[in-house]
Amino acid sequence: SAPAAVWPGPQPATSCHPHDMAKLLGKSKSGRQKTTLKYNVAKRVREHRRRVRKEAKKAGGAKKRTKKDPGIPNSWPFKAQLLESIEKQKKQKEDELAKKRKEQRDKAKEDQKQQALERAREIEERETLRKEKRAKALAEREKEAKKAGKQGDGEMEDDDEDDSDSGEEGEEEEDEDMEGDEEEEGEESEEEEAEDKAKAKA
C-alpha cells in the first residue's frame, strides 16, 4: 500500500526584495518623459488656468475680501485729535482732487476753443485762396476775351480796307470806261460830219 501523504510543515517566506518583486510583477514602465512633452504640458496647464481666471473675472465671481479697517481703539491716547487730523487730511485730498479736476476741465475747454479758432482760421485761409484763384481765373479770361476782340476788330478793319480799295478800283475802272465810250462817240460824230460835208460838196 502507498504511504500516506504527510504535510511538510510551514514553508520559509520568500524574500521581499524590490528586485525580486520586479521579477515577479514584470518590468515596470519608466516615469521618465521627454522635455518637450513636459514643457508642452506645463504650457497647456498655464493657459487653462489663465483662461479660467479670465472667465471668472468676466462672470464677476468671488472677489478677494478686503480686510476691514479695525479703526482706532478707544484706549488710544488723544483719539479725538487724531480723528480730527485724519478728517482734515481727507478734506485736503478731496479739495486737491476737485481743484485738479476743475483745472483739467478748464484746460480741456481752452483746448477746444483753440482748436475751433484754428479750424476757423484754416477755413478762412482756404476761402481766401479760392477767391484769389477765382479772381485770377476771371482776369485771365477777360484778358483772353479782350485779345480775341482786338484780333476780331483788326480783321474787320482789314476787310473794310480791302472792300474800300476794291470799290475805289471799281470806280476808277468805271470812269475809264465812261471816258473811253465818250471818246468813241466823239470820233463817230466827227466821222459822220465829215461824210455829210463830202456829200454836200458832191
Side-chain angles (χ1 to χ4, degrees):
S1 66
V6 181
W7 182 62
Q11 296 291 325
T14 56
S15 65
C16 293
H17 196 270
H19 186 68
D20 297 331
M21 288 295 289
K23 280 184 180 178
L24 291 169
L25 295 170
K27 197 170 185 181
S28 63
K29 193 176 179 181
S30 174
R32 189 175 178 182
Q33 60 183 359
K34 289 182 180 180
T35 52
T36 53
L37 181 65
K38 180 181 172 183
Y39 291 126
N40 283 334
V41 169
K43 186 179 177 183
R44 286 174 193 165
V45 169
R46 278 198 309 275
E47 287 177 357
H48 173 70
R49 286 177 181 168
R50 184 177 60 79
R51 212 176 298 120
V52 169
R53 285 197 301 271
K54 196 173 181 182
E55 287 174 0
K57 275 185 184 177
K58 280 184 181 178
K63 294 179 180 177
K64 288 181 180 180
R65 288 184 181 180
T66 54
K67 289 182 180 180
K68 194 174 181 181
D69 187 13
I72 301 163
N74 292 325
S75 60
W76 191 267
F78 308 108
K79 182 180 176 181
Q81 293 175 1
L82 200 102
L83 287 169
E84 284 178 4
S85 65
I86 289 165
E87 285 291 325
K88 284 179 182 178
Q89 286 176 1
K90 279 183 181 178
K91 282 183 181 178
Q92 284 178 358
K93 284 181 181 178
E94 286 175 359
D95 292 337
E96 285 176 0
L97 284 169
K99 196 176 179 181
K100 282 181 181 178
R101 285 173 186 169
K102 194 177 179 183
E103 287 175 356
Q104 286 176 356
R105 285 174 189 168
D106 294 337
K107 193 176 180 182
K109 284 180 182 178
E110 286 178 0
D111 291 338
Q112 285 178 357
K113 284 180 182 177
Q114 286 179 357
Q115 286 176 359
L117 289 168
E118 285 177 359
R119 285 175 187 170
R121 284 174 188 169
E122 286 177 358
I123 290 163
E124 286 178 358
E125 287 175 358
R126 286 176 187 172
E127 286 179 355
T128 51
L129 287 169
R130 284 176 185 171
K131 285 178 181 177
E132 287 176 359
K133 284 181 180 177
R134 285 176 186 171
K136 284 179 181 178
L138 287 169
E140 287 176 359
R141 285 177 187 171
E142 286 177 358
K143 283 180 182 178
E144 288 176 358
K146 284 179 181 177
K147 284 180 182 178
K150 284 179 181 178
Q151 287 176 358
D153 293 338
E155 288 176 359
M156 289 289 288
E157 287 175 359
D158 293 337
D159 293 336
D160 292 336
E161 287 176 359
D162 293 337
D163 292 337
S164 62
D165 293 338
S166 61
E168 288 175 358
E169 288 175 358
E171 287 176 357
E172 288 175 358
E173 287 176 358
E174 286 176 359
D175 293 336
E176 289 175 357
D177 292 335
M178 288 289 288
E179 288 174 357
D181 293 335
E182 287 176 356
E183 288 176 357
E184 286 176 359
E185 287 176 358
E187 288 175 356
E188 285 177 356
S189 61
E190 286 176 0
E191 286 177 359
E192 286 176 358
E193 286 176 358
E195 284 178 358
D196 291 333
K197 284 177 180 180
K199 285 179 182 178
K201 285 179 179 180

